Amino acid sequence: MVVGRNYTSVACVVACVLAFAASLIPIVSYSQKITNVDFEVVGDKVDITYDIEDCSGDKTYDLRVMLGMDGQLMEIERGLKGDVESVDCGSSKRITWDVLSDREELAGKIYFAVEIYRTHNVIVESPSYNERTERDKRKEWASRSWKADKGYVGGSLGMFSSMESYSNAPRSLMQGGMFVNASIGYLPSLLLGVSTTVYIYSDPKENAFNVKTWKNWGVMIGPLISLPLGNRIKWELKPQVGYSAISVKSDMSLPDSLSVMRAGVACNIGAGLRLNLGKRTCYMLNVEYMSAPIRFDDYPVDANLGTIGASFGIAFRFY
């Protein structure tokens, strides 16, 4: 006896697999339905309300409205406005029917039915650059703001106080006062550049008993170390060296051997924050220490003008 292949058992296995797959389709698909259909007659118009349930958010639907009257159900083809085409999933949908645009009168016992006859897939396109919101543009600009930063030019105004006291020096430089400076910073790279500063320190005459005042001015140059702290703030360090001159104005006569002006090499160390709060402007908060060694020939004392000050400034940024 020859035994052939058992096609019956193979067919049963295939049928079972297909039946199991078919049973999973309702689980992973949406079966949208129209519920809570109601209507209200207002003059010569009818307001029809309904809900679309059990549907996905990436589809919209076109609907048709059926009128039931005299035992017949017929489609309304004219006079419909509202949620009729491309309707998304949700509740409290409304359709208004202008009865007179479709027929002369509406009499007798009536009812309405709403059904879906077409489905549209919603394609979400990513917006182009011109369609981005202003907030997205600001975020993009802020993220690359410091990368495009090439430096600045601006000025600062501050107050200072003397750091050293020389009781045996011929004139006291220990009073504090105001100072202004103008600075230029150039950053060929993100972190390292060069800066130069022109400054004026002034010691005001506080009262009639203060017989002398002084002014200090000069120019400095040095490296600029710039470290970004996020998208809008930079911490910067400016060690500088340059030329400094001090002049003294006194109400008393001074010995001929003591000139009213001394000049020499000075150094300055500044550190602070530069805040990028505008596209072209920035604000500077700095703390600066300045030392200007001045030697008076008739006295064996090197009278260093040492001051520490704090300043606030505004600058124009380079790109």
Side-chain angles (χ1 to χ4, degrees):
M1 182 180 63
V2 179
V3 179
R5 293 184 179 180
N6 190 348
Y7 291 98
T8 303
S9 60
V10 175
C12 290
V13 172
V14 173
C16 291
V17 171
L18 293 177
F20 178 73
S23 66
L24 293 179
I25 293 177
I27 299 177
V28 297
S29 64
Y30 292 93
S31 179
Q32 67 278 354
K33 58 183 178 180
I34 304 295
T35 60
N36 301 325
V37 178
D38 197 1
F39 72 94
E40 180 183 6
V41 178
V42 182
D44 57 354
K45 293 180 173 57
V46 180
D47 287 337
I48 305 167
T49 59
Y50 65 94
D51 300 338
I52 305 180
E53 298 179 351
D54 299 335
C55 49
S56 62
D58 59 348
K59 298 181 184 301
T60 59
Y61 308 95
D62 294 343
L63 299 99
R64 62 165 58 101
V65 181
M66 314 294 288
L67 170 64
M69 186 173 63
D70 298 332
Q72 295 182 352
L73 191 63
M74 62 194 75
E75 181 181 356
I76 302 175
E77 298 181 350
R78 295 185 296 273
L80 295 176
K81 295 182 180 179
D83 298 322
V84 180
E85 296 181 348
S86 300
V87 184
D88 56 358
C89 187
S91 59
S92 302
K93 307 298 180 181
R94 181 180 295 272
I95 299 174
T96 300
W97 178 37
D98 185 358
V99 177
L100 297 181
S101 65
D102 186 72
R103 60 188 64 228
E104 295 181 356
E105 63 177 356
L106 187 64
K109 186 176 181 180
I110 62 173
Y111 65 93
F112 293 90
V114 180
E115 65 178 15
I116 297 172
Y117 74 93
R118 185 182 295 120
T119 301
H120 305 282
N121 292 320
V122 178
I123 300 176
V124 180
E125 298 181 355
S126 58
S128 64
Y129 183 81
N130 294 329
E131 296 173 343
R132 293 178 187 174
T133 64
E134 190 64 27
R135 182 178 178 182
D136 293 334
K137 292 181 181 179
R138 287 197 300 266
K139 286 183 177 180
E140 181 179 354
W141 167 77
S143 64
R144 63 186 182 185
S145 176
W146 289 129
K147 296 179 181 179
D149 185 28
K150 297 300 182 182
Y152 61 91
V153 56
S156 299
L157 175 67
M159 300 183 65
F160 72 89
S161 177
S162 179
M163 292 289 291
E164 291 89 1
S165 174
Y166 296 91
S167 59
N168 57 349
R171 52 180 73 93
S172 175
L173 301 176
M174 65 180 298
Q175 289 184 343
M178 304 289 294
F179 72 95
V180 295
N181 63 45
S183 58
I184 300 175
Y186 174 63
L187 289 166
S189 65
L190 179 63
L191 302 179
L192 189 61
V194 63
S195 66
T196 182
T197 303
V198 177
Y199 64 89
I200 299 176
Y201 283 71
S202 177
D203 169 36
K205 188 173 182 178
E206 297 179 351
N207 52 62
F209 298 99
N210 188 5
V211 297
K212 50 185 176 296
T213 59
W214 57 268
K215 286 183 174 59
N216 176 32
W217 64 89
V219 59
M220 301 280 188
I221 190 170
L224 172 61
I225 302 171
S226 185
L227 301 177
L229 303 177
N231 294 328
R232 293 184 177 271
I233 301 176
K234 271 191 172 183
W235 180 83
E236 294 184 330
L237 179 66
K238 297 185 292 183
Q240 296 176 322
V241 64
Y243 172 84
S244 174
I246 295 178
S247 64
V248 177
K249 180 180 179 182
S250 177
D251 296 336
M252 300 176 61
S253 60
L254 297 174
D256 293 339
S257 61
L258 294 178
S259 172
V260 295
M261 179 179 289
R262 286 290 187 267
V265 178
C267 64
N268 181 79
I269 299 177
L273 299 175
R274 183 153 61 95
L275 286 71
N276 174 26
L277 301 181
K279 188 172 183 178
R280 282 291 185 179
T281 58
C282 58
Y283 301 90
M284 300 177 292
L285 300 173
N286 294 317
V287 176
E288 301 183 19
Y289 173 79
M290 194 270 291
S291 178
I294 307 298
R295 181 176 179 83
F296 297 92
D297 297 336
D298 289 0
Y299 292 82
V301 176
D302 291 329
N304 293 323
L305 173 60
T307 64
I308 186 168
S311 65
F312 171 79
I314 301 176
F316 179 83
R317 297 177 60 210
F318 298 145
Y319 281 98

